[in-house]
Amino acid sequence: MNGQSVAVGDFQLTIVSGGTLRNDGGTMFGVVPRVLWERVCPSDEWNRVLLDTNCLLVRTPDSVGLIDAGYGGKASPKVQARNDLAAEPQLPRSLAAVGVAPDEIDWVILTHLHFDHVGGCTWRDSNGQLHPTFHRAKHFVQRIEWDDATSDRPDLAGSYFSDDFVPLAEAGLVQFVDDVAEIVSGVTTRRTDGHTRGHQLVTLASRDQTAWYLGDLCPLVPHLRTFWSMAYDQFPLTVRTTKPAILGEIADQQQLVVFSHDPQCRFARIRRDNGGSEWTAESIVS
């Protein structure tokens, strides 16, 4: 639910939706048989499962930031129909609903540059010109992610759309990070690889409390299972090793997680299950 909010120390974390969408269940769960994933994630008549784009508004004592930006409103009618996308950008409406304007955003962290995470960073006017949505904000992205997204490599065709992010660089709003970086006090990015080479998660730590924004390392609650990963993952074996290590760290320290695409569970605590080798989530509803 848009506007769901929790406090982490002196930080206020609020979900702001960048728009719902429907995606093919097979691509969302890769090698997992449909008979298994459909029990926990029902599909529609076109085999699509419902997703949300759970962008995270972060209010710190000294700044207002955003993690990811949804898909925006630039998709073609064909793509809109295929994925049941809203025709108009949803993130500005979601921000307005919690009392925040785009020009109040100081920084934006992008977990990666796929359209459903970065599309909302730019918009197209009636003359076809592209503009940054958050014109005051620095946009933080892993350097290797940017290199891949702008490489025009044939094996990455269809993975990245330059209209979503190149205008940010042209406006001088992109700041590259390498592996680990503190964006503002208590807000840290960590490169995970796996989903893409430059995928990063975000930790938010204040007064001995910590939340983790997992991005597409673990987009839905069912993806807590070690071998449940997406066909979109460029390096699936990396996901299978990195994800359980990070989930174990979170569970053992009883910290909070934020799921980037789950339409039912945004904030959760996770605990070890099945003898300590798997995890279950307990949703936190405010």
Side-chain angles (χ1 to χ4, degrees), residues 17 20 86 97 117 130 137 139 160 177 181 193 206 210-211 217 220 240 256 266 270 284:
S17 176
T20 60
H117 294 258
L130 290 162
H139 295 63
Y160 300 103
V177 297
D193 200 344
S206 174
T210 301
L217 180 68
L220 303 172
R240 291 184 184 184
L256 186 70
R266 278 80 174 180
I270 61 173
I284 295 175

Side-chain angles (χ1 to χ4, degrees), residues 6-276:
V6 300
V8 173
D10 294 325
F11 295 170
Q12 191 71 23
L13 311 182
T14 304
I15 295 295
V16 283
S17 176
T20 60
L21 67 154
R22 292 185 181 273
N23 209 349
D24 181 78
T27 55
M28 286 304 298
F29 293 102
V31 300
V32 179
R34 177 173 178 171
V35 69
L36 295 181
W37 62 253
E38 197 166 33
R39 294 175 186 172
V40 293
C41 202
S43 62
D44 66 11
E45 61 270 37
W46 292 288
N47 199 48
R48 303 178 304 179
V49 298
L50 178 65
L51 308 174
D52 207 341
T53 55
N54 297 326
C55 310
L56 191 66
L57 179 70
V58 181
R59 294 180 174 98
T60 80
D62 305 310
S63 68
V64 179
L66 184 68
I67 303 175
D68 282 347
Y71 53 75
K74 303 187 300 296
S76 68
K78 180 179 179 180
V79 173
Q80 289 178 14
R82 184 172 66 222
N83 295 107
D84 197 21
L85 306 179
E88 299 295 327
Q90 298 300 295
L91 185 56
R93 298 180 183 181
S94 298
L95 288 168
V98 296
V100 176
D103 62 5
E104 295 179 81
I105 301 296
D106 299 305
W107 49 266
V108 178
I109 298 173
L110 299 167
T111 58
H112 58 298
L113 297 178
H114 287 167
F115 89 101
D116 54 327
H117 294 258
V118 70
C121 285
T122 65
W123 60 279
R124 193 184 306 276
D125 66 23
S126 59
N127 295 317
Q129 297 298 308
L130 290 162
H131 305 273
T133 304
F134 309 104
H135 61 89
R136 289 185 50 253
K138 282 292 185 182
H139 295 63
F140 294 88
V141 60
Q142 290 283 332
R143 187 185 308 273
I144 196 169
E145 178 74 6
W146 185 271
D147 290 344
D148 281 354
T150 57
S151 67
D152 292 325
R153 285 169 43 189
D155 56 317
L156 293 177
S159 297
Y160 300 103
F161 303 99
S162 61
D163 285 353
D164 291 340
F165 47 84
V166 168
L168 304 176
E170 293 172 345
L173 298 178
V174 174
Q175 186 160 330
F176 298 124
V177 297
D178 296 295
D179 297 327
V180 176
E182 186 173 56
I183 306 307
V184 297
S185 181
V187 179
T188 303
T189 66
R190 181 198 300 187
R191 180 182 160 207
T192 67
D193 200 344
H195 183 60
T196 66
R197 282 205 309 160
H199 181 277
Q200 60 185 348
L201 55 70
V202 186
T203 57
L204 305 115
S206 174
R207 289 198 289 114
D208 298 322
Q209 298 180 44
T210 301
W212 299 63
Y213 189 88
L214 299 175
D216 276 0
L217 180 68
C218 186
L220 303 172
V221 169
H223 290 115
L224 288 171
R225 298 166 174 85
T226 296
F227 294 100
W228 287 42
S229 56
M230 296 184 287
Y232 295 116
D233 292 335
Q234 295 176 11
F235 304 93
L237 295 181
T238 301
V239 172
R240 291 184 184 184
T241 56
T242 301
K243 181 173 65 175
I246 289 172
L247 293 177
E249 181 179 349
I250 296 169
D252 291 345
Q253 298 184 47
Q254 299 182 328
Q255 294 170 338
L256 186 70
V257 298
V258 186
F259 293 103
S260 64
H261 282 304
D262 203 297
Q264 304 296 329
C265 180
R266 278 80 174 180
F267 297 107
R269 302 279 182 190
I270 61 173
R271 67 176 188 273
R272 288 187 181 270
D273 200 3
N274 193 29

